[in-house]
Amino acid sequence: MIYFTQLIYVIPGREADFHAFEDVALPAMTRYGGKLLMRVRPGRDAFVAGDSEPPYEIHLVAFDGEEGFLAFSRDESRQRALHLKEASVSRSVLIRGQVL
């Protein structure tokens, strides 16, 4: 099992495009053994060190293995919807982890 935490920073006013991308990507993930374990929207009042903005969403995702994650990233329906992500996300941080 591999785990990913993703910090997603959405461009203000482009939330609908981001949600449209998620509507395609999240179901595609399950086809490759992926699971959305947690989705959090910390909000503007969340504590953030320094002067940075909190992310719009934080995702915790698990895949059965590396192959499933790579297949998901190449999924045709996800690829067709990537323009929505590119138009709505200013940046994201993907952190790979494992259970210790």
Side-chain angles (χ1 to χ4, degrees):
M1 189 70 80
I2 59 172
Y3 296 89
F4 295 96
T5 301
Q6 186 173 29
L7 310 177
I8 305 163
Y9 298 83
V10 173
I11 299 166
R14 301 307 300 255
E15 294 86 357
D17 288 334
F18 176 68
H19 293 266
F21 173 73
E22 281 191 321
D23 288 346
V24 173
L26 294 177
M29 186 185 324
T30 63
R31 292 195 291 271
Y32 303 99
K35 298 175 190 94
L36 178 64
L37 302 175
M38 185 181 302
R39 176 170 47 187
V40 177
R41 288 196 187 142
R44 293 185 127 348
D45 61 342
F47 172 78
V48 179
D51 60 357
S52 63
E53 281 286 310
Y56 177 74
E57 281 188 355
I58 302 169
H59 293 181
L60 177 57
V61 175
F63 279 87
D64 293 332
E66 183 81 22
E67 320 75 45
F69 174 70
L70 294 174
F72 162 68
S73 66
R74 294 186 301 259
D75 179 81
E76 189 175 313
S77 63
R78 182 183 172 277
Q79 291 293 318
R80 283 194 307 268
L82 270 179
H83 70 281
L84 295 167
K85 180 179 180 184
E86 292 165 355
S88 62
V89 175
S90 62
R91 65 187 167 109
S92 65
V93 177
L94 186 65
I95 304 161
R96 185 180 175 140
Q98 64 187 35
V99 174
L100 301 176

